[in-house]
């Protein structure tokens, strides 16, 4: 483990600079508290360069609520399981659900959500451009966990609808998010890679409602190489800030490889940003102009003005579904990663080029309304994703593949990125699953990771905890 605090010179500079954070506030640091084992033999197969138990786009594979932490994964026998522990405890209690993983596809993750209106835990499982599987707990389970038995009986039957709401036969990338009122929303993709639309459903404590699609797959996108007329928007996340604004960073993926310089690359391009002030019913660009209305024919499209906040063509192996967060002032932050131009202007091998030369960048909107991007001086050494977390002081942390952690201080304007922990003692495969809710609950960075293995040999699955600045 490596631990770092902001140098005294940086703090003095922060005092001198108007409008910066209070110099008494600490910079980023991580202190490893311990590791607990979820499963000694979790299912392991590499698909799309990832593992089904540790795809970082899960929201949420690990979460904290009302003093308990919950985790979900697939065992070596392919059973879906969900476990809980008292926050910070050493012992996990596991419930096996009546569902088994249907295929060796790392997209088929388990995602969990909390409906605060009735205290239920919701899970979606096992879908990639096909049908999904859904289960929810009894009401009140999450509100009074200590007195509610933790057995399969607290979960209802596994269903292929949301309590009768069918949604779509081409369902992928479920992400749950709670509204400020305590309703539960489900974000998902309709369609397939390169030709899909994002949609929302909402649970009010009694029933699910389909709000509809809010992005478009149509329109023409052209480069010097060629054109594409179909695509999908990949979200970096979907999150409410403290004032109730819903934020979403994204990239576009084109269906036609003709837009690239080389067919060995990936057609992702540009980082875009939209937000909603009415719980996802309408969507606005950075300037506040409405660019789409959910459930109508006027949805967010590639040709809409004001969407792109960081421009990048498809020739740099830009990653989709990376990470985002909002700070205490409601300002949006994201992590994006790609192969910078100094390593060449034409990626010819998506995985190889990212592994050799990929870099992550911190992209954020500052208090003056401008967008700033800072390269994080840590090589990816991987084709996979990096996660972003902000602590109570708005210091930023990038959790890289293999569990490496870098940090930057708000007081520096996020210019002092440095490695805080090298992850060498974890033996992690690659991406990690962050407990976003725990950072807010008790100031602990907690993530789930799976150990390296080979072939289809099962490997241990763990949760590791790091204390952030008090």
């Amino acid at each position: 483990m490596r631990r770092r605090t902001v140098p005294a010179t940086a703090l003095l500079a922060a005092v001198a600079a108007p409008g910066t954070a209070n110099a008494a506030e600490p910079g980023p640091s991580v202190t490893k508290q311990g590791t607990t084992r979820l499963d000694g033999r979790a299912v392991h197969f590499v698909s799309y360069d990832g593992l089904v138990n540790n795809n970082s786009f899960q929201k949420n594979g690990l979460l904290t609520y009302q003093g308990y932490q919950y985790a979900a994964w697939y065992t070596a026998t392919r059973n879906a399981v969900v476990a809980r522990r008292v926050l910070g405890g050493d012992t996990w209690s596991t419930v096996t659900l009546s569902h088994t993983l249907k295929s060796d596809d790392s997209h088929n993750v388990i995602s969990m959500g909390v409906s605060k209106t009735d205290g239920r835990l919701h899970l979606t499982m096992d879908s990639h451009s096909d049908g999904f599987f859904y289960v929810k707990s009894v009401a009140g389970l999450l509100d009074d966990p200590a007195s509610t038995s933790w057995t399969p009986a607290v979960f209802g039957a596994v269903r292929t609808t949301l309590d009768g709401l069918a949604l779509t036969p081409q369902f992928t990338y479920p992400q749950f998010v709670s509204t400020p009122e305590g309703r539960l929303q489900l974000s998902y993709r309709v369609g397939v890679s390169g030709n899909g639309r994002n949609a929302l459903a909402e649970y009010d404590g009694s029933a699910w409602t389909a709000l509809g699609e809010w992005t478009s797959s149509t329109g023409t996108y052209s480069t010097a190489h060629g054109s594409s007329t179909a695509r999908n928007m990949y979200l970096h996340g979907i999150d409410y800030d403290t004032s109730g604004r819903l934020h979403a960073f994204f990239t576009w993926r084109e269906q036609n490889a003709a837009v690239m310089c080389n067919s060995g690359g990936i057609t992702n391009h540009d980082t875009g940003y939209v937000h909603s002030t009415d719980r996802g019913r309408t969507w606005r660009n950075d300037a506040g102009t409405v660019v789409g209305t959910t459930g109508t024919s006027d949805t967010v499209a590639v040709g809409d003005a004001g969407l792109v906040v960081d421009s990048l063509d498809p020739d740099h192996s830009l990653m989709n579904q990376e990470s985002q967060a909002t700070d205490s002032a409601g300002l949006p932050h994201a992590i994006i990663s790609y192969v910078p131009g100094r390593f060449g202007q034409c990626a010819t091998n998506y995985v190889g080029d990212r592994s050799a030369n990929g870099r992550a960048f911190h992209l954020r909107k500052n208090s003056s309304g401008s967008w700033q991007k800072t390269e994080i001086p840590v090589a990816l050494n991987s084709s996979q994703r990096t996660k972003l977390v902000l602590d109570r002081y708005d210091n930023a942390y990038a959790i890289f593949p293999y569990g490496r952690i870098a940090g930057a201080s708000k007081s520096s304007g996020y210019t002092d990125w440095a490695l805080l922990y090298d992850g060498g003692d974890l033996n992690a495969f690659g991406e990690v699953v962050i407990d976003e809710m725990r950072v807010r609950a008790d100031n602990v960075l907690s993530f789930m990771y799976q150990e390296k293995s080979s072939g289809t040999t099962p490997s241990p699955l763990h949760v590791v905890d790091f204390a952030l600045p008090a």
Side-chain angles (χ1 to χ4, degrees), residues 48-360:
Y48 296 92
D49 211 28
L51 301 181
V52 71
N53 286 330
N54 278 93
N55 259 318
S56 66
F57 54 74
Q58 291 172 252
K59 190 177 180 76
N60 301 275
L62 184 69
L63 65 81
T64 291
Y65 190 71
Q66 300 287 57
Y68 275 68
Q69 189 173 40
Y70 301 83
W73 70 95
Y74 299 103
T75 67
T77 55
R78 308 176 73 86
N79 290 101
V81 298
V82 58
R84 72 177 185 181
R85 65 168 173 171
V86 175
L87 200 58
D90 295 327
T91 303
W92 292 86
S93 299
T94 300
V95 165
T96 300
L97 303 175
S98 57
H99 179 76
T100 55
L101 180 65
K102 65 189 179 187
S103 62
D104 286 357
D105 186 333
S106 65
H107 291 82
N108 292 29
V109 299
I110 304 174
S111 294
M112 298 184 291
V114 174
S115 54
K116 297 179 182 179
T117 56
D118 59 359
R120 295 183 193 266
L121 182 66
H122 302 247
L123 295 88
T124 60
M125 303 172 282
D126 206 1
S127 57
H128 183 199
S129 301
D130 55 10
F132 63 90
F133 299 87
Y134 167 73
V135 66
K136 69 180 181 183
S137 75
V138 297
L141 171 70
L142 300 182
D143 294 327
D144 191 13
S147 62
T148 305
S149 62
W150 186 246
T151 68
V154 304
F155 292 94
V158 176
R159 307 169 190 182
T160 55
T161 65
L162 296 180
D163 296 337
L165 182 65
L167 296 183
T168 172
Q170 293 182 312
F171 178 98
T172 317
Y173 302 124
Q175 294 193 343
F176 287 108
V177 60
S178 296
T179 72
E181 300 81 18
R183 296 187 178 195
L184 181 63
Q185 293 182 322
L186 176 62
S187 167
Y188 59 98
R189 187 186 72 191
V190 178
V192 298
S193 175
N195 190 9
R197 286 86 57 205
N198 291 334
L200 286 172
E202 185 173 87
Y203 176 77
D204 63 3
S206 60
W208 282 96
T209 302
L211 302 184
E213 297 175 10
W214 63 273
T215 72
S216 172
S217 58
T218 61
T220 299
Y221 170 79
S222 299
T223 69
H225 313 297
S227 297
S228 175
T229 57
R231 69 202 46 80
N232 71 278
M233 176 194 285
Y234 276 116
L235 296 177
H236 288 313
I238 185 164
D239 299 280
Y240 283 97
D241 65 21
T242 54
S243 69
R245 177 174 290 196
L246 184 60
H247 301 262
F249 284 91
F250 62 87
T251 62
W252 294 107
R253 175 174 294 178
E254 299 299 321
Q255 185 181 59
N256 192 349
V259 299
M260 295 187 295
C261 62
N262 186 284
S263 61
I266 193 166
T267 60
N268 297 342
H269 63 91
D270 297 319
T271 299
Y273 168 78
V274 290
H275 66 271
S276 174
T277 56
D278 57 6
R279 310 299 188 255
R281 271 63 175 181
T282 58
W283 295 90
R284 299 174 183 268
N285 64 16
D286 185 38
T289 303
V290 174
V291 289
T293 301
T294 301
T296 74
S297 59
D298 181 19
T299 52
V300 182
V302 71
D304 287 339
L307 299 183
V308 175
V309 295
D310 189 71
S311 179
L312 189 70
D313 64 42
D315 295 333
H316 294 275
S317 293
L318 176 67
M319 173 53 77
N320 50 281
Q321 298 163 285
E322 199 108 30
S323 189
Q324 68 173 45
T326 57
D327 64 26
S328 59
L331 296 171
H333 298 239
I335 294 288
I336 63 174
S337 65
Y338 56 89
V339 178
R342 66 178 180 273
F343 297 108
Q345 298 297 328
C346 181
T348 60
N349 182 302
Y350 161 64
V351 171
D353 289 344
R354 282 183 58 84
S355 299
N357 297 312
R359 298 293 187 272

